Amino acid sequence: MKGNLFEGELDVSELLLAYENYLRTEKNASANTISSYTRDVNQFLTDLEEREVALSEVLPGDVERYIRGLSRKGRSAATVTRSLASIKSFFTCLQSMGVIRDNPAKRVAPARVERKLPQVLTGREVELFLEQPECTDAKGFRDRAMLELLYATGIRVSELIDLDVADLNLPGSMLHCASKGKERMIPLYPTAVRALTDYLQMIRPQLTDSEDETALFVNMNGSRMSRQGFWKLIKHYQEKAGIQKDITPYTLRHSFAAHLLENGADLRSIQEMLGHADISSTQIYSRVVDQHLKTVYQRAHPRA
């Protein structure tokens, strides 16, 4: 992106740098958010430059035209919505700098995004998946313990790899999980306790003998397991199990919540175990269960 879209003001490169700083310091945005938002804004500014529209003269109609154009180009509804959010925050930044008086994107409505239901495994698929690690070597014992813990607690993958040995209370069958400034205690079922006990007593000492390493789960070199390493592990066992659904590290979390709800757990308890700040995030699993019941009904009822 080159040039200056308006007279007597900062050039575009300076504005983008100022916007990055605004996101970082004022909004405390993550590196990924900063990268995505600045990329969205840069594309919008490129479009303005091609149409010779000065930044100081942008109207709501210009923003609406650009957003509709993204949809016509086949961009997903989520991408279009994020682009609009990026543009709105960019103009808010310019307002705070005194570069513009009004935010032309303020009242532009975002595209309606239909939230997709998370994919869950059936009970049999979970059993099949958890059976894949063969407890014949260190890797098999470790992997079985990781997968059992993930399904037993529904914790996030980032939380799983951040766990320390001290977070486990195996005699009490409980896990302590601290994330995003909050703490929660989650029960463990007996199979998970046995898998974790075997791993801690027999396997982890083989993988690391360093007293300085506090990580619960370590790789074969004795260092804390990484997200990338766990992702490869998930894909390996999906292929080995022959499950056609696309299993991601979040699939067991979704399955945990849906299966608890399906078997009578209340939403508030599931919310607490998942660590959701808002129960609306947990309520989507009610839709998953309802959809599952409808599918069973349509397949099984003789008059359906």
Side-chain angles (χ1 to χ4, degrees), residues 161-228:
I161 62 177
D162 283 344
L163 288 175
D164 290 330
V165 174
D167 291 320
L168 274 181
N169 177 4
L170 293 180
S173 300
M174 297 292 289
L175 173 74
H176 169 261
C177 184
S179 177
K180 300 182 178 180
K182 297 181 180 180
E183 300 183 15
R184 61 192 194 275
M185 298 295 293
I186 312 170
L188 297 169
Y189 54 65
T191 305
V193 171
R194 287 195 297 272
L196 288 161
T197 300
D198 290 343
Y199 165 71
L200 281 175
Q201 292 181 352
M202 300 187 299
I203 304 304
R204 189 179 180 279
Q206 297 178 25
L207 299 179
T208 178
D209 57 4
S210 171
E211 295 182 359
D212 295 330
E213 182 54 75
T214 61
L216 174 58
F217 293 112
V218 296
N219 59 31
M220 303 312 289
N221 294 320
S223 302
R224 187 179 292 272
M225 172 70 70
S226 67
R227 290 179 62 92
Q228 294 84 353

Side-chain angles (χ1 to χ4, degrees), residues 100-117:
I100 60 173
R101 182 175 299 173
D102 300 313
N103 185 338
K106 184 176 182 179
R107 290 183 173 79
V108 177
R112 182 178 178 83
V113 178
E114 184 175 346
R115 188 177 181 184
K116 293 183 179 179
L117 295 181

Side-chain angles (χ1 to χ4, degrees), residues 8-26:
E9 300 289 354
L10 298 172
D11 66 26
V12 170
S13 61
E14 291 176 317
L15 288 178
L16 285 174
L17 286 174
Y19 179 51
E20 284 186 30
N21 187 60
Y22 168 81
L23 292 173
R24 185 178 300 108
T25 59
E26 298 294 325

